[in-house]
Amino acid sequence: MLVLIPVLDDTKHYWVGPDEIDRLLRRGGEWLAGHPERELIATRYLRHDRALTNQALERLLDVDDIEDIEGANDNAEEAVERTISLHDQRIDAVVAAIKNSGARSVLDLGCGSAKLMQAILANTSVEKVVGIDVSYRSLEAGARRLHLDTMTPRQRDRVELLHGSLTYRDRRLEGFDAAALVEVIEHLDPSRLESFERVVFEHASPRAVVVTTPNVEYNVLFEGLTPGTMRHADHRFEWTRAEFQQWANAVAGRRGYAVVVSGIGPDDADVGSPTQMAVFTK
């Protein structure tokens, strides 16, 4: 077992330079490239220096620009789903579920570039929307999308972006009425789902939780998607309808929630809808 102490100690005071990248890659070896939280590890090891972090990830993944590979993955998934406007349908369905919950404060967990947050701010009277993501790059994109630098003080009080992980308890996530996770859980390793469940349903414990995830059965209807492949290069799994229902029922039973599972997008008689949505309520 290898423990990178500088990753655990996030209050380092010594100067960090390019030589630390070599040290990280030597210590990380082959396991770091495939680690689901490689960006968080590199970021903390390199003392939140974004330029050094990107250099480390570029070398680790053997690419010329980390933005290119991340953007290509996102664009590939959007291209697969664009023919049925699935992204817009997902956002609309989640916003409707949040409205129906009566929530006044909402967490967007794994907020990415804040597309859901933007829709919530524009289409609801929610008083507070907080987004959290493990990627600094995504948070910066979210800040640009929301125009945080030009918001009026009143609007700015409604929104906040936080850096953090969904598999470690974070007291900043407690006390909210609702939480949304749009196409997030499939990016977690299955072994981390139990930790994620505790963080969201036990510790944060909002009154309502909305979760969407791909329905792998529907993939056969997407043109251009090679049979047997998933919609995004970073997906750790994609569940069938039965698998998602089983997971949702088990979580609801363990954590004191009721749950309703439905589909988003065109409903095929054989394979269902492309996206699955679970709405958990206390």
Side-chain angles (χ1 to χ4, degrees):
M1 176 183 289
L2 175 67
V3 178
L4 292 172
I5 297 299
V7 175
L8 302 179
D9 172 18
D10 202 28
T11 58
K12 301 179 289 297
H13 298 291
Y14 59 84
W15 183 78
V16 173
D19 59 319
E20 291 288 341
I21 297 176
D22 295 329
R23 189 171 292 113
L24 172 63
L25 298 186
R26 284 201 307 273
R27 297 292 187 269
E30 295 181 358
W31 66 266
L32 184 56
H35 197 286
E37 297 193 35
R38 62 190 175 222
E39 183 173 347
L40 176 63
I41 292 170
T43 297
R44 295 189 67 167
Y45 190 96
L46 297 168
R47 205 162 170 247
H48 303 285
D49 186 310
R50 182 170 182 244
L52 292 179
T53 299
N54 281 351
Q55 289 178 45
L57 292 173
E58 286 160 14
R59 288 177 56 185
L60 192 65
L61 301 175
D62 192 25
V63 296
D64 294 327
D65 188 341
I66 193 64
E67 304 276 346
D68 289 344
I69 191 170
E70 302 259 350
N73 287 338
D74 292 342
N75 292 337
E77 183 176 19
E78 289 181 7
V80 167
E81 300 178 345
R82 187 177 297 126
T83 56
I84 55 174
S85 303
L86 186 55
H87 172 73
D88 293 338
Q89 294 182 60
R90 265 198 303 262
I91 295 294
D92 290 345
V94 174
V95 169
I98 289 170
K99 284 183 176 180
N100 290 339
S101 76
R104 308 303 299 173
S105 57
V106 179
L107 284 169
D108 184 0
L109 302 175
C111 63
S113 60
K115 294 177 182 177
L116 175 63
M117 294 179 68
Q118 183 182 45
I120 292 172
L121 290 168
N123 299 294
T124 77
S125 57
V126 168
E127 296 168 359
K128 186 73 173 180
V129 185
V130 174
I132 184 168
D133 204 282
V134 73
S135 167
Y136 279 105
R137 183 180 68 86
S138 293
L139 292 172
E140 290 171 349
R144 291 192 298 269
R145 176 184 298 277
L146 297 173
H147 304 290
L148 292 188
D149 56 341
T150 59
M151 272 187 175
T152 65
R154 183 176 179 179
Q155 280 288 89
R156 188 65 182 83
D157 286 342
R158 292 181 67 198
V159 61
E160 186 174 5
L161 293 171
L162 303 173
H163 178 256
S165 169
L166 302 184
T167 55
Y168 298 98
R169 184 175 185 178
D170 188 336
R171 295 189 183 278
R172 297 174 299 175
L173 308 184
E174 297 175 11
F176 286 80
D177 296 330
L181 299 105
V182 179
E183 309 299 282
V184 170
I185 60 172
E186 63 273 9
H187 292 271
L188 301 175
D189 277 336
S191 63
R192 307 306 300 274
L193 287 175
E194 184 178 350
S195 297
F196 156 79
E197 178 187 328
R198 287 198 303 270
V199 168
V200 175
F201 293 91
E202 179 181 338
H203 300 311
S205 191
R207 289 190 290 106
V209 180
V210 184
V211 178
T212 76
T213 194
N215 167 22
V216 69
E217 297 170 75
Y218 196 92
N219 286 0
V220 296
L221 299 183
F222 283 121
E223 293 184 9
L225 190 63
T226 305
T229 61
M230 291 185 280
R231 297 182 204 176
H232 191 290
D234 189 53
H235 285 183
R236 301 308 199 255
F237 60 87
E238 289 180 359
W239 279 329
T240 65
R241 289 168 291 172
E243 289 169 333
F244 184 54
Q245 183 76 64
Q246 182 180 30
W247 174 82
N249 288 343
V251 170
R254 285 191 293 264
R255 305 301 175 186
Y257 285 80
V259 64
V260 175
V261 175
S262 59
I264 300 173
D267 186 15
D268 182 84
D270 295 322
V271 298
S273 299
T275 292
Q276 312 182 74
M277 180 172 72
V279 180
F280 298 83
T281 53
K282 285 190 174 181

